[in-house]
Every structure is written in structure tokens, then in C-alpha cells.
Amino acid sequence: MVAEKFNPTSDKDKKSTFLSSDEYAEVFYGDLHAETAEGEDSMSDFIDDLADVQALNSGSLLKGTIIKISGGEVYVDVNHKTEGVIPLSEYSDGEKPNIGDECEVLVVKTDENEGTILLSKNKAKLIKAWDKADEAFQSEGTINCRIVAKVKGGLSADFNGLKAFVPGSLMSLQQEYDLEKYISQTFDFKIIEFNRRRRNMVLSRKAILEKERKAQIQDVLLKLEAGQVCKGLVKNITDYGAFVSLEEGKIDGLLHKADMSWAHVRDISKVLSVGDEIEVKILNVDRTTEKISLGLKQLRDDPWVSIDEEFTIGDTVEGSVKNITHFGAFVEIKEGIEGLVHISDMSWTERVRHPKELLEIDQPVQVKILNIDKDERKVALGMKQVLPDPWTLVREQFQVGETVKGSVKNLTDFGAFVELVEGVEGLIHISDLSWVGRVKHPSEVVKSGDAIEVKILDMDPENKKISLGLKQVIPDPWEIVEDTHPVGTMIDGKVKKLTDFGAFVELNDGIEGLIHISDFSWTERVEAPGDFLEIGQDVRVKVLDINKGDRKISLGLKQLTEEPWATVPDKYEAGQTLPGTVTKLTAFGAFVQIEKGVEGLVHISDFSWTERVNHPSDYVQEGQEIRVKILEINKDDHKISLGIKQVDEDPFETFERLHPVGSVTQGEVISTTDFGAFVKLPGDIEGLVHSSQITDDRGGRPEDLVTLGEKLPVKVLEIDRKERRIRLSLKQVATDADRASYQEYSRNSEAASENSIGDVLDEETREKLKAAAESSDDES
């Protein structure tokens, strides 16, 4: 019953895999009393004898006394008829067993037949250690462990033979990087993870330290009050302030950068350094969040309180540049008081793009106080106001319309700034740089540093603006252009610019005129001006037109020579045949040059009398020498209509002249269709024999009645000049032959009587000849 009750691997206690010694006794003695109560004989004597006897099942925890040490074994009396044996190897070098020593052991194995009980001192120690660790984990207590080694991610600790893991981040309050310094040292730990079955235990020293620290902090927080002044040590510096250790490092407070100085603190490292011992004032203590706010500037008087007593608007004072931004510079005029010099208040004479052009940090400067706003803690300062404003003398020095000298200071996309006197600049707008030409950028006309003469166009001293003109210094050449360059005159110029549509030429007075691409040459087709002229080339041109209002002059190159078309009406006339050269082919015809500079067009319909031309390239090629006939001359539009087919007589007219309607000629079948046969006639023209004019036999198709290539006599029935069509007949040739035979017979038989004729011809033949003659008369 006792062996059945005890199971060292049971899950009776979820906290531990092994039973404690008290639990073993409870299990053993409880079952023993139960069996005694159930027995028939009294067991009181037996119970007395076994009062000190303990269970000897495997896994039982027992107390015993060492009675003998022999060889490699230590014999222990465990109040049983058989002694137990502990291997001597379980004792370490520094641990020596002595007879009479008491010890706790674990029953590893019992063998009643051999009379041996195998015990383990170390395993008993481990069970007791797990029990203590389990109890500490459940009660959130602590255990004392020794650090034995550094392992991955932390440290390995020993607790009475049990191995535990301490994460590196939980060894102290701060992140530790040198963990080896803790090896061989003993510390108290809190168990944060515990699993007896998996032999897993994770410890934390940080939890104990935080608890201790929190207790210390609460004690310190109770002592500190807002308004107290205390000493501290600068522990850490951040972007927003510094952490100061108070009360010998027991607690930290934050000294915000805004509370370091009455002046604006931009770089904390210039005020404090880590390790500095400083005196600070406690501004606030929050015991709930355990935060303390500190102040350094609060130990001194606020200079802004008495600013109106020390400074007055209009005062000129000495200051030091503390910060520079894109919009101005902050100047300290007294410790804790800074004012802003706006970029617009830095110089009367210079155009300041950035304050760094004039100032640098810690530079001493003289400034004038422009405004004081005590409530907003702002002071407006000026540097240029220390000196007199040169613009106040502008009206006395200059007059509108006056020509003055100046120096080009700066160029922009829209004009040039010219300094007239120190501190006074005027603007020449890009449109006022030149009377002639289109100025894209002022650098085309002037350069920085140039000394030039300008005319004052307008002045606005209140807004510090003067409008200047460069071109106004000289007369406008466009006012007299009609006198200097009358239409029709020939003048010299220089090519300034080439475009897709022509070339701009600068004349001797700077005026620019345009030679349109159509006015380059009488005789050459100019596709691109660059193929004809180049920039910088000297050319002679003729003035064609002047538009003074739009400031434009039209020039011509080809007009320097006589126009070839001027002599065309005298040299050529319609109907004239002459040679020419094909210069260009288009979809609608071919351009043919009949002399240099004179071209005519052969329309695609005027290529051939007999062929259908789909494209001129099917008939002629560029550069080919051909003969053409002039069909029409249009002098006003400079156009000549030419023809190729007209060089030869129209074969249609020739055919009609040689083969009038009613005549018979020879033809060759070249194709057949459902409605007839096409026949090639003399002169390479075509005619159509309709299917009804092939034969009297109505039962055949044209391809069955005639053969391709067959040469046949055909009769001309109709000639349509407008549509250029010829209608032919095959059967009329046969009918005419029969009629001729009949007429010949009639002439030979005039003397004979009608009855005689009846004797010679039978009735059927007579009717047939008569019908053929009547049909021939009708069709003719």
C-alpha cells in the first residue's frame, strides 16, 4: 500500500515534480496508520517500534547518520535493518565525510534480496534546492546565488547545485556590457520564470534593485520640495536638456534647455558638460511619476524684467552675434537678452542674400534698437540704421531724364542692377537694354563690373527704386529707318541667327531684318537656311519692306539678281516642245526644270495616252532627261503646265482619222469578260466587241466564241472621243460580206427575171440573203 501511494513523478503538486520530505512522511505514515486501523490485531507495539522508521521506497527523502567509511562507499544508518550506501565520489575535494555526521539522502534503489540500499546525498540536496526555489517563486521571495560563468545573452548562476540563467539586461539597473566582472560573486535574485519539470529557472537582480531604488526614491521625493536649491552632478546631455543626479545619485532630475539660461540656448555643450557639479533650483516635484524639473537660470534675476530701464528705442548698443538664420541674425545685447537683426535691416548699400555674407558667430556688431516688446520678450535691432540712409539724398542728386554714369553690380533674368552712388542702385529692365534685336539675357549686352552711361527713367525713393535705361542714351534707329534704309536699297549686313523659316541679318546700325527662306534663291529649293548661310557671314541684301510700327524689315537675297520668270513669257509659249530634267516626283506628278530657276509640272494624267499611271515613278525618275510640251503658262503664279504624252499625237485621234466609223480593220483579242471581248487595234488602243456583236448564235460565252491572241477583222461601230471608247463588231463583218455577195449576185442577174432567179436559188437561200441585207442597213 505504501509503495502504491508514493509516486515521485506524479503531478500531485503542480509546483514541483518531486515530493518534499514532509510529504513523503505524510504519505508513508498516513498509509501506515490506515493499515493499522484496518487490522484485526493491535498494532500499537509495532507503531512504537517503527516511530522513527521512514519509508524506503525509491525516491524517498531520509535523514541518516554516517556509521562507516569503507573503500569507495559511505555507510549510513537510516533506521532500517539494512544500512544505506552513498558513493564516496559524491563528496567533493573540499568536502570530507566523518563518522557520526548527520546527512539527508535520497533513496535511489533498494534491493531487499541483496540487503542493499543505494542512497544519494547530492540528489537529496537538489530536491531540497528545488523545494526552496519553488517556495521562493510562489511567495515572490528571493534566493541567494553565485555567478559561475558568462553565457550567451547573460550569466549562469548556481543555487545549491541548481543551474539558473540571468539575462544580461536584468543584472543591473542599466544595460551592462562587462558581465564578466560578476563571475564568482554572490547576489540575491528574484525568480521570474520557473519550470521544475523542464529544469528551467530564470533570475533577475534588476527587479530587486528597482524595488530598493523605488524605496530610496520615495524617501528622497519626500525630502525634496519645489523652490529648494541643491547640488547635483550632470549625468547625461540630450538635445532637449541635461539629466542631473541629485542626493548622491539616488534620483535624477531634468534640466530643460529652456531653463538653463535667460538667453536662448542653442548648443547645450557650450553651457554644460557631463561630470559638471552644478547648483540647481527645484522647479517641480511629481511624486506620482517620480519626475523632478530643475532650473539653472532661476538662480539669477530675469534680465527682461528691467529691460525698459536699461534700453530705449533708438539707442545704439554693442552686441555679439549668437545665431544666424536665413532671415536674419540674433545679437546678444546683454546676458540673457537677444534681439533680431532682420536681413532687410543689415545694409543700405548691399543686396544681402544671406546674413552669412556679412556676419559670423560671436562677431561683435553695433546695432540700433528699433523696437522693444517686453511682454513677448522680443527686441528688433538694425545694423544699417546705425548709418545714414543714402536714399534720403536721391532727389537732391538725380533728376528723371538725366544721363548719369554707373557700375553694373548684378545681372538677373529680367535686367541689370546698376550702382549710381554707394548704396543706391537702379534697375535697367531687359526691354530697355537695346533698341534693336531681341535680348534674351542682359549678359548679351552688359557684364558685371562694366562702367556704363544710363538715363534715369523714373524714381521712387520712398520704395527705394530707380528705373534706368541704356538704349535711351542714344536715338532710336527705328525712328529714321525709312530714311537710312529705304525700300529697294541694297545694304551690307552680318548673319546673326538662323531659324527654320529664315535668317536674321544685323545691319550697320544694329537693326535686324529677316530674310525669309523663300527669298534666298530664284533657282534653288532651300530646305534649311543653314545649307545656304552661316552665322557671322557677311551678306549683301535688298530691303523689300519696312514695318516701322512692328519694328520689322523684310530683306531678300534673290532679289539682288533678275527673276528668271521675267523672261519666261517671251521665251516660251503653249504648244512648244522642249527638253527638260525631272527634279522632283510627287504623288500627283513630276516637276521638270526647263531652264535654271524655271520649273513646270507634268500632271500624272499627262504621262501617257494609253497606260494608266499609278505613280510618276512608274514612268520617270528624278534626274532623267525627257521631252515635254508646254500646255499652259501662268505668269502671275509662276506656274507652267507640261505634258509628256502630248509630245506625240493622240493615237485615239490617229485611229479615228484612219479608221472612221463603219470601216473594217484588223484586231487582236487580248481579253474576254462576261459582256464581251477586248481587242487591240492599230496604234495600241483598245476596243470592245460586245457579246451581242460576236455572232448571231446566242448560245455561247465570249471566251467560247473567240480565242486570246486570235486576230480577227472587226467593224468600227462607234467612237466616243469624250470617254475614249471604241465599240466594235465581229458579226457585222460577216453580215457585210454576205450582203456584198448578195449585191454582187444582184448586179450580175439584173437582166434575168425574177422567176429565173427563183430557179437558180431556192426559197430558203433567197430569204436569208434578203434578211442579211435588211439587217446590215438597219445597223449601219
Side-chain angles (χ1 to χ4, degrees), residues 356-647:
K356 287 183 178 179
E357 297 175 4
L358 299 179
L359 301 172
E360 58 185 25
I361 300 297
D362 294 330
Q363 177 182 339
V365 291
Q366 270 198 334
V367 291
K368 179 172 280 191
I369 298 176
L370 306 180
N371 187 47
I372 297 175
D373 189 337
K374 185 176 179 180
D375 296 333
E376 295 293 330
R377 305 172 79 89
K378 291 181 180 179
V379 176
L381 304 174
M383 289 169 55
K384 70 181 184 182
Q385 287 80 0
V386 175
L387 302 173
D389 183 0
W391 281 90
T392 57
L393 305 176
V394 165
R395 289 197 184 277
E396 300 176 6
Q397 292 178 292
F398 305 106
Q399 299 295 324
V400 174
E402 182 182 0
T403 299
V404 296
K405 292 182 178 181
S407 175
V408 178
K409 299 296 288 183
N410 186 32
L411 300 179
T412 68
D413 292 338
F414 54 84
F417 287 93
V418 178
E419 184 179 59
L420 304 181
V421 295
E422 187 178 359
V424 177
E425 291 183 3
L427 172 66
I428 306 175
H429 192 268
I430 193 170
S431 61
D432 291 317
L433 287 171
S434 175
W435 289 114
V436 296
R438 185 183 298 274
V439 181
K440 291 184 176 179
H441 193 273
S443 59
E444 298 175 8
V445 182
V446 295
K447 301 288 186 293
S448 292
D450 285 356
I452 59 174
E453 281 192 341
V454 292
K455 179 171 281 191
I456 299 176
L457 306 180
D458 189 25
M459 291 194 306
D460 185 359
E462 288 73 20
N463 292 312
K464 295 182 173 53
K465 291 182 179 179
I466 297 180
S467 296
L468 304 175
L470 182 64
K471 69 183 184 182
Q472 288 82 357
V473 174
I474 60 174
D476 183 359
W478 282 96
E479 294 296 327
I480 57 174
V481 67
E482 293 175 339
D483 299 328
T484 56
H485 307 298
V487 174
T489 57
M490 298 181 186
I491 51 179
D492 294 321
K494 188 184 292 289
V495 178
K496 297 293 289 184
K497 182 181 178 183
L498 298 176
T499 67
D500 294 338
F501 54 83
F504 287 93
V505 176
E506 183 182 46
L507 306 181
N508 51 17
D509 53 3
I511 291 178
E512 287 187 4
L514 172 66
I515 307 173
H516 194 269
I517 195 170
S518 62
D519 292 317
F520 274 47
S521 174
W522 294 114
T523 60
E524 297 182 38
R525 186 180 299 276
V526 181
E527 300 291 343
D531 298 337
F532 206 83
L533 296 173
E534 59 184 26
I535 294 176
Q537 180 179 344
D538 293 326
V539 292
R540 190 166 181 79
V541 293
K542 187 174 185 177
V543 179
L544 305 181
D545 184 50
I546 296 176
N547 188 328
K548 188 175 177 182
D550 293 337
R551 306 172 82 87
K552 293 180 179 179
I553 294 182
S554 295
L555 306 174
L557 276 174
K558 69 181 184 182
Q559 287 80 3
L560 296 174
T561 60
E562 185 181 13
E563 180 185 359
W565 275 90
T567 60
V568 165
D570 298 332
K571 295 171 63 176
Y572 305 103
E573 61 181 357
Q576 184 178 355
T577 300
L578 66 166
T581 303
V582 178
T583 58
K584 185 179 180 181
L585 299 179
T586 69
F588 54 83
F591 288 93
V592 178
Q593 179 178 274
I594 58 176
E595 72 170 65
K596 190 173 182 180
V598 180
E599 289 184 353
L601 173 65
V602 180
H603 194 269
I604 194 169
S605 62
D606 292 317
F607 274 71
S608 174
W609 292 112
T610 59
E611 298 180 26
R612 182 181 298 276
V613 181
N614 294 320
H615 193 274
S617 60
D618 298 336
Y619 206 82
V620 295
Q621 302 297 322
E622 290 184 3
Q624 183 178 344
E625 300 288 338
I626 60 173
R627 290 187 64 79
V628 292
K629 176 176 278 190
I630 299 176
L631 305 181
E632 182 183 0
I633 297 176
N634 187 330
K635 181 181 178 181
D636 296 333
D637 295 335
H638 291 188
K639 291 181 179 179
I640 299 179
S641 296
L642 304 174
I644 295 176
K645 70 182 184 181
Q646 289 84 356
V647 172

Side-chain angles (χ1 to χ4, degrees), residues 192-209:
I192 57 174
E193 289 186 24
F194 185 85
N195 191 317
R196 188 166 185 170
R197 181 172 60 85
R198 295 183 179 179
R199 304 291 193 272
N200 180 45
M201 186 162 55
V202 180
L203 309 178
S204 171
R205 179 170 174 257
K206 183 177 181 179
I208 297 174
L209 296 177

Side-chain angles (χ1 to χ4, degrees), residues 327 341-347 384-385:
F327 56 84
V341 180
H342 193 268
I343 190 171
S344 61
D345 292 316
M346 291 187 172
S347 176
K384 70 181 184 182
Q385 287 80 0

Side-chain angles (χ1 to χ4, degrees), residues 303-353:
W304 284 90
V305 174
S306 59
I307 187 172
D308 49 2
E309 299 174 3
E310 297 185 58
F311 302 103
T312 305
I313 294 175
D315 288 351
T316 298
V317 296
E318 190 83 19
S320 176
V321 178
K322 292 301 181 183
N323 188 37
I324 297 175
T325 69
H326 67 279
F327 56 84
F330 289 92
V331 177
E332 185 179 62
I333 59 177
K334 179 185 176 182
E335 185 179 0
I337 297 179
E338 291 182 4
L340 171 66
V341 180
H342 193 268
I343 190 171
S344 61
D345 292 316
M346 291 187 172
S347 176
W348 295 116
T349 61
E350 297 185 42
R351 188 177 298 276
V352 183
R353 293 186 180 88

Side-chain angles (χ1 to χ4, degrees), residues 2 6 28 53-62 78-84 105-112 116-119:
V2 174
F6 172 70
F28 179 81
V53 177
Q54 301 174 13
L56 295 179
N57 302 70
S58 295
S60 299
L61 279 174
L62 305 175
V78 291
N79 294 328
H80 193 267
K81 61 182 180 179
T82 304
E83 294 87 356
V105 294
L106 175 72
V107 178
V108 177
K109 181 180 178 183
T110 60
D111 191 337
E112 295 292 343
T116 60
I117 302 173
L118 181 61
L119 305 175

